[in-house]
Structure formats: C-alpha cells, structure tokens
Amino acid sequence: MTRRAFVVRAADGAELVCTEHEPAGPARSAIVIAPAGPLPRAGPFRSMTRLADLLCAAGHRVVRADLRGFGEAGADVPEATIPEHDRRIERGLHVDDLRAVTAAVRDDAPLVLFGSCAGAVTALRAAEGDARVRAVVTYALPVVLTGGRGATLDGRGGAGRALMLARLGLGAAVVRGSRARLLPGGLAPWLNVPVIRALRALSGDLPLLLLFGGEDDVQAQLARYRLDRLRGADIEELAGIGHRFADPEDVERVAVVIGAWLARALRPQP
Amino acid sequence: MADAARKQHTPRNRGCHASLPVVAWLRVTPLDHAFFGPNGALYGIASGPPDARRAVLVVSPPGADAVRARRVLFRLVRALAATGHGALLVDPRGSGESALAFEESSFESHVNDVRDGLHELARRFPEAHQRLVAVRYGAIPALAAVEPPAADALLLIDPCLDVRASLRQDLRGAIPGRRRDAREDDDEARTATVARLDAGQAIVLDGERFPPALWRGLNASRPAVLLAAWGARATVLRSGPDTFAAFHRRLPQARVASEEPAFQSAALAWART
C-alpha cells in the first residue's frame, strides 16, 4: 500500500488537494471520500485516514479530498460558525468539487463515492448524473439541514414567528403525507430537497448503502418522511456507534461493513 | 549543489504548476503537497522561493490537534511563503496525512520526524537559516530534536511542557458517563485514565489511541532544561480561544475553521524578527 498526494483543479481553478491510498494489486474499486463537513480530508479525529487505510488494505483504491475552504484546498470561504459551514456544505458547496475529483480518478475499477454526515450529502449529490459512479455509501445522511427549524426561525418573533411556525407545520404535513414525493421548498425550508431528489433518483438505479449509527437520531428523519423504504437502497444501523464513527474500533466496524457490502454490490451480474 | 537543488525545485519542474505567477513585486510561489522522508512516510506542504534566506519548519501537532489546526497552519505556510520565507509544514508519523496510526508512533519517531523535516527544509531551501514552529504535544519532541545554533529560533504555540497536567486538562469532559456536577468523580476518572497510560495501556483521547510509547518519552524528557538551552531564541505563544479557536474545544458557536488572523500575524511577526 502506498500513498501519494495530488492536486485537482475545480472548475473555477481552485486547488483541491487529495491523498490517494493505492493497494498493492489491482484495485477492487476506486472509492472517493468526500470530507465530513467543514474538516480536512483526515476527517474527524483522523477517522477517514484510518478508514481509507483499512479499505485499501482490503484491496480498494481510496482517494480522500480537501474541498474548497477547508484543509489544504484553495478558495477560502467566509468565516462562519460550524453549523453555518455545515449548512453550506449540505446545500451543495462541495458537489462540483467532488465531481472534479472523481473525474480525475483514472481507474478501470468501479467508482464508488462515500461521505459521512454533510459529506454524505456531497457524495450522494455528486453521484447524481455521473454515469461512472457504480455505487454510493453514506454514513449518517441528513435529509434535514443542520439546525433545521431552529435556523429557519432565527431572528423571528411575535406574529412573524407564529406565521412561520404555521407555514412550517403545513410544510411538514405535506412532506409526510406525500411520503416526500411532494417537496414544498417554500413551506419546508429546513428540508434538503436536492438530496432527497438525489436519493430518489439513485435508489434502484445503482447500489446504495445508507449506514447509520445506532446511537444516532439522524435516521429518524428518513423514517419520518418515509424515505426508509426506498427500493434498492440498503439501510443498516451499527449498534453502539453515534453520529460520528471516531473511535478506532468503530472505524474498523464501518470498514468491514462497507467492504462486505461492496463485495456483494459490485459482483458482476450473471 | 545549491544550484542543482534550486533547479530541481523551480516551479517549472513541478507537475501541476506550469508558470510562476507575479503579483506586483511579490512572487506567489506554488504549494507543493508531497510525501518525503524514509519510505515516503512523511507528508508535507512546502512553499516559498528556493533561494529564501530564512526557512521555517512548521511541525503539525500530534493526534487530533493536527486535524483541528490544519487550515490555520496551512494558511501560515502560505503566508510565510508570500512574505519571501521558505516554509514546510510536516505531519509527524501517526498524524495528519503521514503514515502510521497515532498509537503506532513513539517519542523517538516524533523526534526523528522533526529532524527529517529539517533535512527536507534544508534540501528545499539550501541557502536559508532555519527556524522551527511546534504546537502543543509537538513542543517537547521539537525541543529534543534540535538545539541552537542548529536552528536560529523556536516558536512554541500552546506547548504542553507539563504533559501530565495537559493530558488531565484534555481529558476533562472526554471520559464518557461522568456527571456534570460530579467534579470528584471526574477527577478520579481522569486519575485512573492517566494511571492506565502510566501502566503502558493505550487510552482513547479525542478518538485516537494515545500511544504509551509517546507518553513515556514525553514524561522522561526534561523540557525546562531543553527550553533553557534556547534562551532568548525561544518564543512561547499562548493562543487562547480568541486567537486560536481551533485548539479550544466545545465551542460550537465559535467562529472558526478558516481564519485566525491574530495568530497568523503573531507568527509572521516572529518569523520577520
């Protein structure tokens, strides 16, 4: 196993810095990892580096990328709180950057995208419309923007707040009643409509694994909007793990689950 | 040899940078992200004119601190290069992008990695006088790796020179299951955790297994004596939440992640003098 660093140019010329973990033999797949929110490509507590090493040891080529504004990437982003950064990423800040990285990956092995938390949104949306992507794996995929209703209600008071609450309540009822087939953006501004569309578009079209921590609550959002029964999407909960899989043993479990699932999902069909 | 080294590092010879952009009188030097050192195990980001008269090695802090500080230290390398200095950010093995898991690193590996970083700095900037920046738990390995006059000056940022006290501080709130109001329980739990490390067992701190081999070396060193050898050439910067929020945890509403202008200007002022 070897590592190398390389730089990819985004469409606007910004430098995106990547580390590639190259297996000793021919790669079983080429996995591109989106950064988990406003973090460098090593991930929270270096968990993505560890995950990449484990997947590479199992025969996968893995590329981790720093995307704009974070880590070693070019193009600074405006100063903001961590939840604000998260929301920007969940709204698609990194989607085109990740596509630029996947376009630079030259390998005949099946291309797989992986992302955790806000990075899961990036991975899922980057896969939409990219015919080279053969599978997507997400961990703790949020379909509601970080801060949710709280962010929408920030700074509102009195009658304005009551009116907004009524609109949000109507929006939630429409989304739930239609099993998220109707996505009224104006009535449900906390909902990440593009990622729900991507989820619907990709499920059944290519293998999709949605992983969640058993101690997390983000998967409740999927159930609430009936997105937990999508055809062709495998959903798995890992007991005892939270929103992040930071502890070394947790990373090992996630790597084993992903490796086993990819072996099944990418097996040539008879 | 100097000419050969300079030729090797001209931007033309780097794969992804075809030309050297010029902004007014200031040369904007490209960044080189590369693996180097024994078996290519060390990762670094280098920038600056090859004929720089002064070059700074920025040693990334070990463990999860390297992730928190990444953007800030990366921007420091960029800023140092923009002001005409050579700069190299190195991740010790077990941290950042370098090889090994944190628990596989040791005090000796950290010391050797600082020395290898200085060799790489000399290779890239052969005419430069060398300076060194080390952060938190990286301070003692840096002190052990080099003494003056091998390097001109040393900047220690939030150095953990009393490692036992620093670890106890970092363990505050990191031990699961503690009650917020049970200060005595927390104190006992931290004492027990440090005792496990003393007994040679790895403990998990910030999602990383803190290596007993690093702990032993940090405890066995004499940082006060090492620091005294530097005299006035050493500068200690206590950053605080207002100047380097990256190291100050549990501040979800702090405005962080991309810029630390106060820290950067302090470090640049140090590099200039």
Side-chain angles (χ1 to χ4, degrees), chain A residues 147-158:
Chain A
R149 288 185 178 213
T152 307
L153 292 166
D154 273 355
R156 291 176 192 273

Side-chain angles (χ1 to χ4, degrees), chain B residues 236-263:
Chain B
V236 174
L237 178 62
R238 300 280 176 193
S239 63
D242 294 334
T243 53
F244 206 153
F247 291 153
H248 298 271
R249 285 166 276 188
R250 285 171 267 287
L251 292 172
Q253 298 309 316
R255 303 186 79 80
V256 294
S258 57
E259 291 183 45
E260 296 292 344
F263 161 76

Side-chain angles (χ1 to χ4, degrees), chain A residues 46-68:
Chain A
R46 212 168 171 242
S47 54
M48 295 302 151
T49 306
R50 190 181 289 266
L51 178 68
D53 276 340
L54 292 167
L55 290 169
C56 186
H60 302 273
R61 181 186 305 282
V62 184
V63 174
R64 293 176 291 114
D66 275 343
L67 305 182
R68 73 184 51 234

Side-chain angles (χ1 to χ4, degrees), chain A residues 102-196:
Chain A
T102 57
V105 175
R106 305 267 177 248
D107 197 314
D108 292 334
L111 184 62
V112 179
L113 301 191
F114 173 79
S116 166
C117 196
V121 174
T122 305
L124 202 63
R125 288 189 56 191
E128 199 182 10
D130 185 342
R132 284 184 66 217
V133 177
R134 291 277 309 279
V136 181
V137 181
T138 66
Y139 185 91
L141 173 75
V143 295
V144 169
L145 294 166
T146 293
R149 288 185 178 213
T152 307
L153 292 166
D154 273 355
R156 291 176 192 273
R161 185 180 180 87
L163 192 62
M164 177 56 97
L165 275 169
R167 284 178 59 197
L168 296 180
L170 180 60
V174 171
V175 175
R176 263 202 307 278
S178 69
R179 298 186 173 193
R181 284 192 173 79
L182 294 176
L183 298 169
L187 291 176
W190 72 90
L191 209 60
N192 196 336
V193 171
V195 82
I196 294 175

